[in-house]
Amino acid sequence: MLADLIGQEEATTLLNAALRMRRLSHAYLFVGPAGLGKLDAARGLAAGFLCERGGCGTCSICQRIARDTYPDFRILEPDGATGYLIDQVRELTHDATRAPHEGTHKFYVLLGADQLGGAAANALLKTLEEPPEAVTFILIAHSLTSLLPTVLSRCQVLRFKPLPTEKMVEIICARTGADAKGARISLAATGSVLADACSFWDSPKRRATRGEVVRIVRDLASYDDREVLAAALALVSSLEGVNAELKKQQEAELAAQAELLSKVARTRLEQYNKKKLTAATRRSTSEVFSVISGLLRDALAQRNGAAEVILNVDALDFITRIAACLTPDAARRGQEAIMRARRQLGQNVGVQLILETLLFSLREVLTCQ
């Protein structure tokens, strides 16, 4: 809910004013770095408008919006390796012309809106120029630079501001019960994305996977080729366990709503759940990359005498050890290998192959070759 957003007073004030007047813009653009609650704000806006009690957080509508299972609240991500596909946007704009399934209003959230380029952006632009009634589009982007000026001009722009690390640590501790050490570890594992850090701490499987990644990176310099391959396979198995949680949750929610949904709505929810599971697989794999990236960043910070910014505080012995030989050039090569792995993940390369290639590259970095 909007009341739960921390440090984004300007954005929440504007959204709450729109809710009080029951006058939403047909299109918003939430812009700012990852981890500031932009998606949570989109959920809060939808819940505040659709809930009879203005976003109580406890009713069926609010709960389903929070879990992304409410049929009139849809979240989209780019299907293409380089961004949104024109067919994807056409399907969205066609669906927007249909009446809401349950409520009086429909919300479409476009994650990675800065990946709307060329034909896809123009296809959406036509709908933004002549928006359907009872529909609100919420575009979420890291920056404004990649968006067409014509798209920007048709959105109400809300900027989300970064939070200091210590403030995020305080929030994580309050929301999850973690101590400061656990909160810093959560931030390291998720690339300092606040919402992800909170959910990370609440997931024993994700924490276990992070521990396995740390152990592998700690010992990687001594691995032979067979052990590197085995380590990649172990990570794949661990990631499958993480995603099994979401699949089980989806199946339970679908069964609970079976009698309430029409056949068409059920099919759409099943399709959405499948896409969500695929996206979750990418996110959990990306989290492995974030853990490794954070370890390299902390080692370089230790080497440069900036120990106060280290987040992986449970791995200080290992960080100190690799800091002794990790040159800035080696750290750069390690981060470049991680960036390549992220690109390959977006291009639908197999997860096991990506992890094998990454671990072989990191072994060279950690042996100071």
Side-chain angles (χ1 to χ4, degrees):
M1 303 303 102
L2 290 177
D4 296 329
L5 290 178
I6 304 296
Q8 306 300 335
E9 288 77 10
E10 182 178 339
T12 53
T13 297
L14 289 169
L15 295 176
N16 279 320
L19 289 173
R20 283 195 303 271
M21 295 185 291
R22 303 290 294 177
R23 293 177 60 183
L24 300 185
S25 171
H26 71 281
Y28 293 94
L29 173 61
F30 296 173
V31 62
L36 302 181
K38 298 187 291 296
L39 180 54
D40 286 341
R43 294 188 182 107
L45 180 65
F49 194 82
L50 295 170
C51 169
E52 293 181 356
R53 289 177 284 177
C56 66
T58 59
C59 69
S60 172
I61 292 176
C62 288
Q63 289 293 306
R64 284 186 288 157
I65 288 174
R67 296 193 299 265
D68 304 331
T69 58
Y70 188 73
D72 295 322
F73 179 80
R74 288 187 58 190
I75 299 176
L76 294 91
E77 297 185 75
D79 280 348
T82 59
Y84 279 92
L85 304 176
I86 186 169
D87 287 344
Q88 187 180 6
V89 175
R90 284 173 176 165
E91 188 278 330
L92 160 67
T93 55
H94 176 68
D95 188 75
T97 63
R98 298 170 176 167
H101 293 283
E102 287 190 32
T104 58
H105 204 90
K106 299 172 74 173
F107 291 83
Y108 295 91
V109 180
L110 280 73
L111 302 178
D114 29 17
Q115 297 180 57
L116 272 168
N122 286 323
L124 179 63
L125 181 61
K126 294 177 182 178
T127 301
L128 296 181
E129 290 173 338
E130 299 179 8
E133 292 185 8
V135 172
T136 293
F137 295 95
I138 303 174
L139 281 62
I140 294 181
H142 290 153
S143 69
L144 303 178
T145 54
S146 299
L147 286 163
L148 290 179
T150 45
V151 171
L152 280 174
S153 66
R154 286 160 178 80
C155 297
Q156 182 175 349
V157 179
L158 277 68
R159 297 179 183 273
F160 286 67
K161 301 175 182 178
L163 297 177
T165 296
E166 292 310 315
K167 181 63 177 178
M168 290 193 287
V169 167
E170 178 185 327
I171 294 169
I172 295 167
C173 292
R175 290 186 178 181
T176 68
D179 57 14
K181 176 181 177 181
R184 296 181 78 86
I185 289 170
S186 300
L187 287 171
T190 57
S192 293
V193 177
L194 181 58
D196 288 349
C198 290
S199 63
F200 171 86
W201 187 257
D202 288 333
S203 172
K205 287 187 179 295
R206 288 169 67 185
R207 288 159 62 183
T209 297
R210 181 259 176 188
E212 187 165 4
V213 174
V214 172
R215 288 191 294 273
I216 288 171
V217 176
R218 181 194 63 200
D219 300 331
L220 190 57
S222 64
Y223 282 0
D224 60 26
D225 289 356
R226 180 184 57 80
E227 289 171 319
V228 172
L229 296 174
L233 184 59
L235 286 178
V236 170
S237 178
S238 186
L239 291 172
E240 288 173 350
V242 171
N243 296 323
E245 290 182 335
L246 175 60
K247 187 174 182 180
K248 185 176 180 180
Q249 177 187 342
Q250 288 178 342
E251 291 172 347
E253 291 177 344
L254 192 61
Q257 299 180 51
E259 296 181 359
L260 302 175
L261 297 175
S262 67
K263 185 176 180 180
V264 172
R266 180 185 175 91
T267 299
R268 287 182 180 171
L269 183 55
E270 289 173 343
Q271 292 173 343
Y272 173 71
N273 282 347
K274 185 177 180 180
K275 287 185 178 181
K276 189 176 178 182
L277 189 60
T278 299
T281 300
R282 290 183 178 181
R283 281 195 298 271
S284 58
T285 306
S286 182
E287 195 162 278
V288 170
F289 303 155
S290 294
V291 173
I292 299 171
S293 177
L295 290 169
L296 293 177
R297 181 195 66 85
D298 284 350
L300 199 57
Q302 178 81 326
R303 180 182 176 87
N304 293 333
E308 69 278 0
V309 304
I310 290 175
L311 293 178
N312 290 288
V313 290
D314 62 335
L316 284 177
D317 289 346
F318 161 60
I319 288 169
T320 300
R321 174 164 58 83
I322 64 172
C325 72
L326 187 71
T327 65
D329 180 66
R332 176 186 57 77
R333 287 189 286 115
Q335 298 291 4
E336 286 176 350
I338 295 168
M339 290 174 62
R340 284 195 300 272
R342 291 190 189 279
R343 287 195 296 269
Q344 290 171 336
L345 187 63
Q347 295 165 354
N348 295 320
V349 178
V351 171
Q352 185 170 339
L353 178 59
I354 293 173
L355 291 173
E356 288 173 354
T357 304
L358 175 60
L359 292 182
F360 276 117
S361 297
L362 286 173
R363 186 178 62 173
E364 292 185 4
V365 169
L366 296 173
T367 52
C368 303
Q369 293 183 14

